[in-house]
Amino acid sequence: MSTDIYGIHDWGDGLLRILENGHIGLCHPERPEAEPTDLLSLVQNLSQRGIATPVLIRVTDFLKRRIEEINLSFADAISEMDYKGRYQGVFPVKVNQQAEVIERIADYGHPYNFGFEVGSKAELLIALSLNLPAEAAIICNGIKDSEFLNLAASSLKLGFNIFIVLESPRELELVLDVVKNTDVRPQLGVRIKLTNTVSGNWSESSGDRSTFGLTIAQIMDVIETLRAEGYLDCLCLQHSHLGSQVPNIIEIRKSVQEACQFFAELRREGVPLRYLDLGGGLGIDYTGEKTASANSINYTLREYCLNIIETVKDMMDANEVEHPVIITESGRACVAQSSLLIFNVLEATHFDSEIEVVAQDDDHPYLLKMLEIQTYLTRERVQECWNDLKYYRDEIRALFRRNQVSLAVTARSERAYLYLIMKIKQVLRDPEAMTEDMKQALVQVADIYHCNFSLFQSLPDVWAIDQIHPLAPLQRLHEPPQRVAILSDITCDSDGKIDKFVLGDGVSDTLPVHDLKADEDYFLGVFFIGAYQETLGDLHNLFGDTNVVTIGLDDAGGFEILKEQDGDTIYEVLSYVEYEPKRLLSSFKAIVETAVKKGKVSPADRRQMIKAYTDSLNGYTYFEHSDH
Ligand SMILES: Cc1ncc(COP(=O)(O)O)c(C=O)c1O
């Protein structure tokens, strides 16, 4: 049995496991004793039903577990610390707005009065359509116009526990205008700008330069205006947001401490605050490293909850303020783990070759020296061999540019180079030979595995902010991978690649992969992509939404398809970018008809060509591969 080179045990968080047959298994989070669901069989099964890769799989059991864990961990911390207030979480709709996900969150969160954070009118309309418990909070953040404010204020009358958070001084005037025209006493919140900054990819959401929130001076002005207008009693919530994926628990503690001090001071100013909303920040350990680095976290969920409850309790007690209701807006932590993307590898480009080049008497001296490298290629001298190989290859290339060697000689040198790279890679399989320099060198000669997905549609944060998602083959996990690769998508953009991977021994620039077999699809899974990725994806090269299936796991290693959504057809994506597919078809028909008239194609060809065009219009935007 090979070791867990992809580190699945470290980052899998008990949700994924390597099965005896070398496939990845999805484990039932509530019933660890249940037989895991074989992910490869699941994908093959979907494909037999016509649901092809790339496919996004949402595992409802994983989502349910997270919603429960977050709520129960806060409940435990509250009872452990004897905290007198309660916890009420909300899910920020922007993190995953898909109806299927939102409706399930509302459902799983129902017993815990779990609510929603909305940042736009559209998101507010979603929240107002859900059958939420009366206590569940709806937090209205973001820039709001009077329509947004009107709807939010009047929803209070319908029994929604809705809060309007003032994000900027300008908004106060607008809010007052709106509420003065109604008979509603709104529940207002104020977003404060914490001075404390956090590290990680989203550090700019915190500190003085953060875009949203009121400065200390502005908050005092807001209080005075509300007092003067007779609305100070409506200001019951304080909001702050530290950023997303905060890697370090100490930073969370410090920010919570600062938020609490604001809270206590505002209470002293006579503001009847009751709710302390601490925003997002709870991270996911994407790399399994358990460190305070951008794609990892140095704390557990339990620790996060305990630290928040303890800090708020201590701060409130010290300030003699009664314990507030604590709200958090953890979106990533709720949904990230519940979605995975599966795609197939289409082909590989190798930067080495098995084809031996044998020295000939009339070979160029540099080529002969290159071939001689084999005689001293050992673990100890591998770096020297690599340097020599590059030197001789480059010298021959230089001679070619100066017209001093022929194309045929250069081609022989290039072949020899590829053959010797293969020999060097063999030596580098020995971990002892792998120095840092050789790791770098290996990246330059790694294979490129061309994969059936669009990075821009399915994994935009990998492109935009170097987010790392764990990734592993679904199969052959007991077979040592023979090759190393980087992955390229099917957009024709050189940025459409993945070149950072989580492995058992840390983050690597290459991914160990297995040789492709002619008669077997090789599937890769990208895990923990439920947060932000679906929402931020775009139509680069007109690759549209992938197929999506929502599944439930059963105890016997099976699964049930709970919902299936076809990915975009080419017809649909063309419509999104203002084409009228029917007109495109008519134009194409006219072009083909002209060709028939000129005798360039036969009437039977015409039928074939129009069928191909129509089939493409109605087909998947991704590579439609044949089943093996
Ligand atoms: C106001 C607000 N709340 C909550 C979140 C979600 O945070 P997280 O990514 O930690 O779930 C965000 C995201 O940036 C946000 O801006």
Side-chain angles (χ1 to χ4, degrees), residues 92 94-95 117 141 191 202 205 239 241 243-245 279-282 329-333 532:
K94 66 168 163 262
V95 179
E117 183 258 5
N141 285 332
R191 177 161 178 170
W202 286 270
S205 311
H239 177 268
H241 172 64
S244 191
Q245 185 66 23
L282 173 57
E329 303 176 354
S330 289
R332 179 188 299 278
Y532 300 103

PDB file of all heavy atoms in Angstrom, residues 92 94-95 117 141 191 202 205 239 241 243-245 279-282 329-333 532, ligand 1:
ATOM      1  N   PRO A  92     -23.460  34.297   4.910  1.00  0.00           N
ATOM      2  CA  PRO A  92     -23.394  35.384   3.932  1.00  0.00           C
ATOM      3  C   PRO A  92     -23.717  34.834   2.537  1.00  0.00           C
ATOM      4  O   PRO A  92     -22.975  33.997   2.007  1.00  0.00           O
ATOM      5  CB  PRO A  92     -21.941  35.852   3.997  1.00  0.00           C
ATOM      6  CG  PRO A  92     -21.257  34.997   5.002  1.00  0.00           C
ATOM      7  CD  PRO A  92     -22.125  33.841   5.342  1.00  0.00           C
ATOM      8  N   LYS A  94     -23.437  35.854  -0.374  1.00  0.00           N
ATOM      9  CA  LYS A  94     -22.462  35.999  -1.471  1.00  0.00           C
ATOM     10  C   LYS A  94     -21.480  34.833  -1.573  1.00  0.00           C
ATOM     11  O   LYS A  94     -20.876  34.612  -2.611  1.00  0.00           O
ATOM     12  CB  LYS A  94     -21.691  37.305  -1.334  1.00  0.00           C
ATOM     13  CG  LYS A  94     -20.797  37.366  -0.127  1.00  0.00           C
ATOM     14  CD  LYS A  94     -19.850  38.561  -0.241  1.00  0.00           C
ATOM     15  CE  LYS A  94     -19.238  38.909   1.082  1.00  0.00           C
ATOM     16  NZ  LYS A  94     -19.910  39.993   1.770  1.00  0.00           N
ATOM     17  N   VAL A  95     -21.318  34.089  -0.497  1.00  0.00           N
ATOM     18  CA  VAL A  95     -20.308  33.021  -0.514  1.00  0.00           C
ATOM     19  C   VAL A  95     -20.737  31.845  -1.395  1.00  0.00           C
ATOM     20  O   VAL A  95     -19.915  31.178  -2.026  1.00  0.00           O
ATOM     21  CB  VAL A  95     -19.984  32.563   0.925  1.00  0.00           C
ATOM     22  CG1 VAL A  95     -18.958  31.448   0.941  1.00  0.00           C
ATOM     23  CG2 VAL A  95     -19.486  33.750   1.730  1.00  0.00           C
ATOM     24  N   GLU A 117     -26.819  36.703   5.885  1.00  0.00           N
ATOM     25  CA  GLU A 117     -26.298  38.055   5.686  1.00  0.00           C
ATOM     26  C   GLU A 117     -26.471  38.371   4.222  1.00  0.00           C
ATOM     27  O   GLU A 117     -26.163  37.531   3.368  1.00  0.00           O
ATOM     28  CB  GLU A 117     -24.815  38.099   6.079  1.00  0.00           C
ATOM     29  CG  GLU A 117     -24.189  39.473   5.983  1.00  0.00           C
ATOM     30  CD  GLU A 117     -23.326  39.714   4.752  1.00  0.00           C
ATOM     31  OE1 GLU A 117     -23.251  38.838   3.859  1.00  0.00           O
ATOM     32  OE2 GLU A 117     -22.738  40.788   4.661  1.00  0.00           O
ATOM     33  N   ASN A 141     -26.053  44.140   4.947  1.00  0.00           N
ATOM     34  CA  ASN A 141     -24.799  44.880   4.808  1.00  0.00           C
ATOM     35  C   ASN A 141     -24.734  45.471   3.410  1.00  0.00           C
ATOM     36  O   ASN A 141     -25.664  45.341   2.624  1.00  0.00           O
ATOM     37  CB  ASN A 141     -23.613  43.928   5.012  1.00  0.00           C
ATOM     38  CG  ASN A 141     -23.406  43.562   6.476  1.00  0.00           C
ATOM     39  OD1 ASN A 141     -23.754  44.334   7.360  1.00  0.00           O
ATOM     40  ND2 ASN A 141     -22.839  42.397   6.720  1.00  0.00           N
ATOM     41  N   ARG A 191     -21.563  49.545  11.305  1.00  0.00           N
ATOM     42  CA  ARG A 191     -20.345  48.781  11.012  1.00  0.00           C
ATOM     43  C   ARG A 191     -19.137  49.607  11.398  1.00  0.00           C
ATOM     44  O   ARG A 191     -18.951  50.721  10.905  1.00  0.00           O
ATOM     45  CB  ARG A 191     -20.277  48.439   9.523  1.00  0.00           C
ATOM     46  CG  ARG A 191     -18.998  47.709   9.167  1.00  0.00           C
ATOM     47  CD  ARG A 191     -19.114  46.996   7.862  1.00  0.00           C
ATOM     48  NE  ARG A 191     -17.876  46.342   7.494  1.00  0.00           N
ATOM     49  CZ  ARG A 191     -17.764  45.500   6.500  1.00  0.00           C
ATOM     50  NH1 ARG A 191     -18.807  45.209   5.766  1.00  0.00           N
ATOM     51  NH2 ARG A 191     -16.614  44.952   6.212  1.00  0.00           N
ATOM     52  N   TRP A 202      -6.833  38.186   2.649  1.00  0.00           N
ATOM     53  CA  TRP A 202      -7.876  39.225   2.735  1.00  0.00           C
ATOM     54  C   TRP A 202      -7.559  40.266   3.785  1.00  0.00           C
ATOM     55  O   TRP A 202      -8.443  40.835   4.390  1.00  0.00           O
ATOM     56  CB  TRP A 202      -9.244  38.577   3.006  1.00  0.00           C
ATOM     57  CG  TRP A 202      -9.756  37.919   1.785  1.00  0.00           C
ATOM     58  CD1 TRP A 202     -10.533  38.479   0.818  1.00  0.00           C
ATOM     59  CD2 TRP A 202      -9.493  36.589   1.365  1.00  0.00           C
ATOM     60  NE1 TRP A 202     -10.753  37.581  -0.182  1.00  0.00           N
ATOM     61  CE2 TRP A 202     -10.129  36.412   0.130  1.00  0.00           C
ATOM     62  CE3 TRP A 202      -8.752  35.535   1.904  1.00  0.00           C
ATOM     63  CZ2 TRP A 202     -10.063  35.214  -0.566  1.00  0.00           C
ATOM     64  CZ3 TRP A 202      -8.685  34.351   1.205  1.00  0.00           C
ATOM     65  CH2 TRP A 202      -9.335  34.195  -0.006  1.00  0.00           C
ATOM     66  N   SER A 205      -9.365  43.666   4.132  1.00  0.00           N
ATOM     67  CA  SER A 205     -10.723  43.850   4.678  1.00  0.00           C
ATOM     68  C   SER A 205     -10.660  44.411   6.084  1.00  0.00           C
ATOM     69  O   SER A 205     -11.676  44.743   6.681  1.00  0.00           O
ATOM     70  CB  SER A 205     -11.466  42.517   4.767  1.00  0.00           C
ATOM     71  OG  SER A 205     -11.392  41.820   3.586  1.00  0.00           O
ATOM     72  N   HIS A 239     -21.461  45.822  14.118  1.00  0.00           N
ATOM     73  CA  HIS A 239     -20.885  44.878  13.158  1.00  0.00           C
ATOM     74  C   HIS A 239     -19.438  45.226  12.867  1.00  0.00           C
ATOM     75  O   HIS A 239     -19.066  46.394  12.811  1.00  0.00           O
ATOM     76  CB  HIS A 239     -21.705  44.959  11.858  1.00  0.00           C
ATOM     77  CG  HIS A 239     -21.174  44.097  10.759  1.00  0.00           C
ATOM     78  ND1 HIS A 239     -20.275  44.535   9.819  1.00  0.00           N
ATOM     79  CD2 HIS A 239     -21.421  42.811  10.465  1.00  0.00           C
ATOM     80  CE1 HIS A 239     -19.998  43.546   8.985  1.00  0.00           C
ATOM     81  NE2 HIS A 239     -20.679  42.490   9.358  1.00  0.00           N
ATOM     82  N   HIS A 241     -15.983  43.266  10.490  1.00  0.00           N
ATOM     83  CA  HIS A 241     -15.583  42.098   9.700  1.00  0.00           C
ATOM     84  C   HIS A 241     -14.068  42.099   9.592  1.00  0.00           C
ATOM     85  O   HIS A 241     -13.472  43.086   9.160  1.00  0.00           O
ATOM     86  CB  HIS A 241     -16.245  42.192   8.319  1.00  0.00           C
ATOM     87  CG  HIS A 241     -15.763  41.161   7.356  1.00  0.00           C
ATOM     88  ND1 HIS A 241     -15.962  39.814   7.548  1.00  0.00           N
ATOM     89  CD2 HIS A 241     -15.088  41.275   6.180  1.00  0.00           C
ATOM     90  CE1 HIS A 241     -15.430  39.149   6.532  1.00  0.00           C
ATOM     91  NE2 HIS A 241     -14.897  40.010   5.701  1.00  0.00           N
ATOM     92  N   GLY A 243     -12.135  39.948   7.854  1.00  0.00           N
ATOM     93  CA  GLY A 243     -11.552  39.408   6.631  1.00  0.00           C
ATOM     94  C   GLY A 243     -11.905  37.948   6.546  1.00  0.00           C
ATOM     95  O   GLY A 243     -12.508  37.392   7.469  1.00  0.00           O
ATOM     96  N   SER A 244     -11.535  37.347   5.450  1.00  0.00           N
ATOM     97  CA  SER A 244     -11.880  35.953   5.223  1.00  0.00           C
ATOM     98  C   SER A 244     -10.636  35.087   5.436  1.00  0.00           C
ATOM     99  O   SER A 244      -9.511  35.576   5.254  1.00  0.00           O
ATOM    100  CB  SER A 244     -12.351  35.847   3.766  1.00  0.00           C
ATOM    101  OG  SER A 244     -12.940  34.619   3.518  1.00  0.00           O
ATOM    102  N   GLN A 245     -10.861  33.824   5.808  1.00  0.00           N
ATOM    103  CA  GLN A 245      -9.741  32.884   5.941  1.00  0.00           C
ATOM    104  C   GLN A 245      -8.622  33.486   6.786  1.00  0.00           C
ATOM    105  O   GLN A 245      -7.470  33.575   6.366  1.00  0.00           O
ATOM    106  CB  GLN A 245      -9.225  32.504   4.527  1.00  0.00           C
ATOM    107  CG  GLN A 245      -8.120  31.437   4.434  1.00  0.00           C
ATOM    108  CD  GLN A 245      -8.569  30.062   4.895  1.00  0.00           C
ATOM    109  OE1 GLN A 245      -9.735  29.740   4.903  1.00  0.00           O
ATOM    110  NE2 GLN A 245      -7.636  29.242   5.311  1.00  0.00           N
ATOM    111  N   GLY A 279     -18.713  39.258  12.041  1.00  0.00           N
ATOM    112  CA  GLY A 279     -18.410  39.049  10.623  1.00  0.00           C
ATOM    113  C   GLY A 279     -17.829  37.669  10.338  1.00  0.00           C
ATOM    114  O   GLY A 279     -18.041  36.711  11.089  1.00  0.00           O
ATOM    115  N   GLY A 280     -17.077  37.589   9.236  1.00  0.00           N
ATOM    116  CA  GLY A 280     -16.503  36.302   8.816  1.00  0.00           C
ATOM    117  C   GLY A 280     -15.098  36.124   9.360  1.00  0.00           C
ATOM    118  O   GLY A 280     -14.705  36.788  10.311  1.00  0.00           O
ATOM    119  N   GLY A 281     -14.354  35.233   8.752  1.00  0.00           N
ATOM    120  CA  GLY A 281     -12.954  35.047   9.132  1.00  0.00           C
ATOM    121  C   GLY A 281     -12.585  33.611   9.456  1.00  0.00           C
ATOM    122  O   GLY A 281     -11.427  33.219   9.311  1.00  0.00           O
ATOM    123  N   LEU A 282     -13.573  32.825   9.897  1.00  0.00           N
ATOM    124  CA  LEU A 282     -13.257  31.431  10.262  1.00  0.00           C
ATOM    125  C   LEU A 282     -12.765  30.683   9.018  1.00  0.00           C
ATOM    126  O   LEU A 282     -13.467  30.617   8.010  1.00  0.00           O
ATOM    127  CB  LEU A 282     -14.527  30.779  10.843  1.00  0.00           C
ATOM    128  CG  LEU A 282     -14.491  29.293  11.148  1.00  0.00           C
ATOM    129  CD1 LEU A 282     -13.370  28.931  12.106  1.00  0.00           C
ATOM    130  CD2 LEU A 282     -15.829  28.831  11.730  1.00  0.00           C
ATOM    131  N   GLU A 329     -20.589  35.606  10.787  1.00  0.00           N
ATOM    132  CA  GLU A 329     -21.016  35.491   9.390  1.00  0.00           C
ATOM    133  C   GLU A 329     -20.049  34.570   8.652  1.00  0.00           C
ATOM    134  O   GLU A 329     -19.357  34.978   7.724  1.00  0.00           O
ATOM    135  CB  GLU A 329     -21.027  36.885   8.752  1.00  0.00           C
ATOM    136  CG  GLU A 329     -21.914  37.881   9.476  1.00  0.00           C
ATOM    137  CD  GLU A 329     -21.851  39.294   8.884  1.00  0.00           C
ATOM    138  OE1 GLU A 329     -21.027  39.541   7.978  1.00  0.00           O
ATOM    139  OE2 GLU A 329     -22.638  40.140   9.331  1.00  0.00           O
ATOM    140  N   SER A 330     -19.958  33.343   9.115  1.00  0.00           N
ATOM    141  CA  SER A 330     -19.008  32.400   8.507  1.00  0.00           C
ATOM    142  C   SER A 330     -19.622  31.720   7.303  1.00  0.00           C
ATOM    143  O   SER A 330     -20.485  30.866   7.444  1.00  0.00           O
ATOM    144  CB  SER A 330     -18.624  31.328   9.522  1.00  0.00           C
ATOM    145  OG  SER A 330     -17.825  31.893  10.500  1.00  0.00           O
ATOM    146  N   GLY A 331     -19.166  32.109   6.134  1.00  0.00           N
ATOM    147  CA  GLY A 331     -19.679  31.497   4.922  1.00  0.00           C
ATOM    148  C   GLY A 331     -18.768  30.377   4.456  1.00  0.00           C
ATOM    149  O   GLY A 331     -19.172  29.224   4.250  1.00  0.00           O
ATOM    150  N   ARG A 332     -17.484  30.733   4.332  1.00  0.00           N
ATOM    151  CA  ARG A 332     -16.503  29.755   3.856  1.00  0.00           C
ATOM    152  C   ARG A 332     -16.536  28.493   4.715  1.00  0.00           C
ATOM    153  O   ARG A 332     -16.561  27.373   4.198  1.00  0.00           O
ATOM    154  CB  ARG A 332     -15.114  30.395   3.933  1.00  0.00           C
ATOM    155  CG  ARG A 332     -13.973  29.493   3.498  1.00  0.00           C
ATOM    156  CD  ARG A 332     -12.651  30.159   3.815  1.00  0.00           C
ATOM    157  NE  ARG A 332     -12.494  31.418   3.125  1.00  0.00           N
ATOM    158  CZ  ARG A 332     -12.085  31.540   1.866  1.00  0.00           C
ATOM    159  NH1 ARG A 332     -11.776  30.478   1.174  1.00  0.00           N
ATOM    160  NH2 ARG A 332     -11.968  32.718   1.305  1.00  0.00           N
ATOM    161  N   ALA A 333     -16.534  28.696   6.027  1.00  0.00           N
ATOM    162  CA  ALA A 333     -16.465  27.544   6.926  1.00  0.00           C
ATOM    163  C   ALA A 333     -17.707  26.660   6.813  1.00  0.00           C
ATOM    164  O   ALA A 333     -17.646  25.467   7.087  1.00  0.00           O
ATOM    165  CB  ALA A 333     -16.274  28.028   8.361  1.00  0.00           C
ATOM    166  N   TYR A 532     -17.277  30.676  -2.618  1.00  0.00           N
ATOM    167  CA  TYR A 532     -16.930  31.726  -3.579  1.00  0.00           C
ATOM    168  C   TYR A 532     -16.732  31.240  -5.023  1.00  0.00           C
ATOM    169  O   TYR A 532     -16.999  31.994  -5.957  1.00  0.00           O
ATOM    170  CB  TYR A 532     -15.664  32.504  -3.154  1.00  0.00           C
ATOM    171  CG  TYR A 532     -15.799  33.181  -1.813  1.00  0.00           C
ATOM    172  CD1 TYR A 532     -15.197  32.649  -0.673  1.00  0.00           C
ATOM    173  CD2 TYR A 532     -16.545  34.340  -1.672  1.00  0.00           C
ATOM    174  CE1 TYR A 532     -15.330  33.253   0.568  1.00  0.00           C
ATOM    175  CE2 TYR A 532     -16.685  34.965  -0.431  1.00  0.00           C
ATOM    176  CZ  TYR A 532     -16.073  34.417   0.683  1.00  0.00           C
ATOM    177  OH  TYR A 532     -16.208  35.020   1.903  1.00  0.00           O
TER     178      TYR A 532
HETATM  179  C1  LIG B   1     -19.291  41.413   5.643  1.00  0.00           C
HETATM  180  C2  LIG B   1     -18.846  40.022   5.396  1.00  0.00           C
HETATM  181  N1  LIG B   1     -19.305  39.033   6.180  1.00  0.00           N
HETATM  182  C3  LIG B   1     -18.932  37.761   5.997  1.00  0.00           C
HETATM  183  C4  LIG B   1     -18.052  37.399   4.987  1.00  0.00           C
HETATM  184  C5  LIG B   1     -17.680  35.955   4.832  1.00  0.00           C
HETATM  185  O1  LIG B   1     -16.487  35.670   5.430  1.00  0.00           O
HETATM  186  P1  LIG B   1     -15.869  34.203   5.336  1.00  0.00           P
HETATM  187  O2  LIG B   1     -15.175  34.138   4.017  1.00  0.00           O
HETATM  188  O3  LIG B   1     -14.948  34.147   6.475  1.00  0.00           O
HETATM  189  O4  LIG B   1     -16.941  33.225   5.416  1.00  0.00           O
HETATM  190  C6  LIG B   1     -17.540  38.392   4.162  1.00  0.00           C
HETATM  191  C7  LIG B   1     -16.597  38.012   3.116  1.00  0.00           C
HETATM  192  O5  LIG B   1     -15.636  38.613   2.835  1.00  0.00           O
HETATM  193  C8  LIG B   1     -17.952  39.738   4.362  1.00  0.00           C
HETATM  194  O6  LIG B   1     -17.506  40.711   3.584  1.00  0.00           O
END
